[in-house]
Amino acid sequence: MNTSGFLDRYFSISARGSSVGQEVRGGFATFFTMAYIVVLNPLIIGTVADKTGQFLGDGRNPNIALVAAATAFVAGILTIIMGVFGRVPFALATGLGLNAFLAFGIASQMSWEDAMGLVVLEGIVIAILVVTGFRVAVFHAIPAQLKTAISVGIGLFIALIGFVDAGFVRRMPDASNTTVPVKLGALGNGSLTGWPTLVFVVGLLVTAFLVARRVKGAILLGIVGTTVLAMIVEAIGKIGPQTPDGSNPNGWSLNVPAWPKNFIELPDLSLLGQFSLFGSFAKIGGLAAVMFVFTLMLADFFDTMGTIVGVGRQANLVQEDGTVERTKEILLVDSLAAAAGGAASVSSNTTYIESAAGVGEGARTGLASIVTGVLFLLAMFFAPLTEIVPFEAATPALVVVGFLMMTQVKEIDFSDFETAIPAFLTIVLMPFTYSITAGIGAGFVSYIVIKVLRGKARELHPLMWVVGALFVVYFALEPIKSLLGLG
């Protein structure tokens, strides 16, 4: 059997003006551009305790390597599936923003198993929308500029998390004596102290420089370089960790950077299957659970559409009618990836805009995705390396990713106040309330109210009325309970 001939026919390599060599190079480029997620995702979802005080993996302490291995495994499997069935150079991994929302907005109200069950439900709902063709209808129901505002708001939220986790911005030591919730530095007096803070600042500047220079793999290089710097600083200064009693406020957050006992080990995939499909409904009530599923779906839903069109256009895969070849297969794999991410306890997986790096290297087909997926699977064996990365070395990447997401703000027409004000509320309330749901809800409700008061109710899509009503009930849930005697 002529293997090269089969690959060429199945993936349409020659027809798309590519070659096997180009596809392999493109697959490597995409992997190294987005491999940072294997480090960042565990630091976001693996370091936050749920309502019961448990971390992912049912432990009282974070298990970073456990989450890293599962993150790489799911990314690898789903990216390979995208290559085989979607036949496009699109890679998938845990979605940034979605994982932050899951950690800080959902897991704080239930167990991690229940939270991951909501992600599975979200993926199932989106898959049904794809199969029925309803996804396009929902896509058109939400104003484009509100979709953009959601991405921008999540970007600011991620940046804030980065600053706080690094200790660059901290809560006031005694918030009861001041109206200022946070300030710069460990002492709360606007002064930066401690070597770990310096490591964060250097990491942020270096990562920003690499991104500004359009260096491929800039974020991953920034994490690795800053971690090496942190290890050198710790080896010389013997700084140690931050202590629960606050006696070492200038210590390292999360991990003390030091050489690991093992660089390579067999991956522990025990996180797979740790989810409860409907447990959240019993914990927080049906309405609140539905709103969480809707919010996850909203963010996942539109981000994917934009990524597919954007990367597809760069790869010359967008047809004259604006669609991408095999769109239904692509969207179905992406939807199943969301459910798979929840089922594996690593948060929703989605198509990555970083796939554009591989396209830039010549990738045009799904063969590149298979290469990227295999590299992710190999990365599972290096999961112990993630345990040497302190927050101060990883969070510069969060801040830079926040910037990259915020660049979309230029697509919002701020001269059109009817849309700009709701977009503004969406953007600012996410970081200011530490809640992505609050930002989305405020944006949707204010948009509907402004349209109605201006006599433009007919411009609203019927689905917007449904969504708006759900958010009104969500915001007024406690007063409604009191009125009904359920509080």
Side-chain angles (χ1 to χ4, degrees):
M1 178 180 178
N2 188 335
T3 304
S4 60
F6 170 76
L7 290 175
D8 187 66
R9 291 191 303 273
Y10 185 82
F11 292 108
S12 303
I13 296 175
S14 298
R16 294 182 182 178
S18 184
S19 66
V20 173
Q22 280 183 218
E23 297 303 308
V24 172
R25 289 196 302 272
F28 269 86
T30 295
F31 171 75
F32 284 111
T33 304
M34 60 185 287
Y36 66 85
I37 193 61
V38 179
V39 179
L40 271 189
N41 189 50
L43 293 177
I44 293 174
I45 67 173
T47 59
V48 178
D50 60 21
K51 188 176 182 179
T52 69
Q54 297 286 323
F55 293 87
L56 272 172
D58 291 326
R60 286 291 174 180
N61 296 296
N63 190 332
I64 304 301
L66 183 71
V67 184
T71 299
F73 175 77
V74 177
I77 295 297
L78 268 300
T79 300
I80 290 173
I81 292 175
M82 178 65 83
V84 173
F85 293 101
R87 304 183 194 180
V88 287
F90 299 162
L92 301 94
T94 301
L96 282 171
L98 287 169
N99 57 358
F101 173 47
L102 190 68
F104 297 95
I106 299 182
S108 60
Q109 302 186 41
M110 61 190 74
S111 70
W112 271 112
E113 289 82 2
D114 294 336
M116 291 300 175
L118 290 176
V119 177
V120 175
L121 287 174
E122 173 247 336
I124 293 173
V125 170
I126 296 182
I128 293 173
L129 293 178
V130 172
V131 173
T132 60
F134 191 64
R135 187 170 190 175
V136 176
V138 177
F139 182 77
H140 290 306
I142 312 300
Q145 296 189 59
L146 284 187
K147 302 171 196 170
T148 300
I150 292 170
S151 293
V152 174
I154 291 175
L156 289 180
F157 184 58
I158 288 174
L160 176 61
I161 291 171
F163 283 125
V164 172
D165 283 350
F168 185 79
V169 171
R170 302 203 187 192
R171 300 173 181 85
M172 293 300 292
D174 187 0
S176 62
N177 293 329
T178 178
T179 58
V180 180
V182 294
K183 268 195 175 181
L184 190 68
L187 303 178
N189 60 5
S191 177
L192 295 175
T193 60
W195 287 105
T197 300
L198 177 63
V199 168
F200 166 77
V201 172
V202 172
L204 177 58
L205 294 175
V206 170
T207 305
F209 169 75
L210 294 173
V211 170
R213 287 293 303 271
R214 302 289 199 274
V215 174
K216 292 174 181 176
I219 293 176
L220 179 62
L221 289 173
I223 293 173
V224 173
T226 310
T227 299
V228 172
L229 174 62
M231 293 175 68
I232 294 173
V233 169
E234 172 61 22
I236 296 174
K238 305 296 182 183
I239 298 162
Q242 291 183 18
T243 52
D245 61 5
S247 60
N248 188 22
N250 291 320
W252 299 102
S253 300
L254 183 66
N255 294 322
V256 175
W259 291 107
K261 296 179 180 179
N262 299 307
F263 283 91
I264 302 175
E265 65 181 25
L266 291 175
D268 181 353
L269 298 177
S270 59
L271 272 182
L272 274 63
Q274 291 193 22
F275 70 96
S276 174
L277 199 58
F278 296 106
S280 58
F281 287 77
K283 298 292 192 309
I284 61 174
L287 178 62
V290 169
M291 289 308 303
F292 277 138
V293 171
F294 173 77
T295 303
L296 285 166
M297 183 188 74
L298 202 67
D300 204 357
F301 196 93
F302 300 116
D303 183 60
T304 295
M305 295 292 285
T307 298
I308 289 173
V309 173
V311 178
R313 183 172 288 113
Q314 184 181 351
N316 297 319
L317 299 177
V318 177
Q319 300 171 346
E320 292 183 2
D321 61 358
T323 62
V324 177
E325 185 180 351
R326 300 181 68 81
T327 298
K328 189 171 184 178
E329 288 85 350
I330 295 169
L331 291 178
L332 186 58
V333 173
D334 183 88
S335 302
L336 295 176
S345 293
V346 295
S347 184
S348 176
N349 273 231
T350 186
T351 305
Y352 258 56
I353 193 67
E354 282 85 349
S355 302
V359 172
E361 288 292 326
R364 296 291 183 271
T365 78
L367 182 58
S369 293
I370 293 175
V371 172
T372 302
V374 170
L375 291 173
F376 266 118
L377 294 180
L378 291 176
M380 292 190 301
F381 296 89
F382 296 91
L385 291 177
T386 60
E387 294 189 326
I388 70 174
V389 183
F391 268 144
E392 292 81 1
T395 48
L398 286 181
V399 177
V400 172
V401 169
F403 157 74
L404 294 174
M405 297 180 72
M406 187 181 174
T407 58
Q408 301 175 60
V409 75
K410 62 181 180 293
E411 298 176 15
I412 299 174
D413 181 7
F414 283 98
S415 65
D416 176 12
F417 286 3
E418 289 182 18
T419 303
I421 292 175
F424 167 76
L425 292 174
T426 298
I427 292 169
V428 299
L429 284 178
M430 286 188 191
F432 288 170
T433 64
Y434 227 64
S435 169
I436 293 174
T437 307
I440 295 176
F444 278 35
V445 172
S446 61
Y447 180 81
I448 294 170
V449 170
I450 291 173
K451 284 292 187 182
V452 171
L453 293 179
R454 296 212 63 192
K456 299 181 178 181
R458 291 183 179 180
E459 295 181 6
L460 294 169
H461 192 285
L463 285 174
M464 281 296 290
W465 289 103
V466 176
V467 173
L470 287 172
F471 270 118
V472 168
V473 175
Y474 176 78
F475 285 129
L477 191 58
E478 291 306 317
I480 290 173
K481 285 182 178 180
S482 297
L483 287 172
L484 297 176
L486 301 174

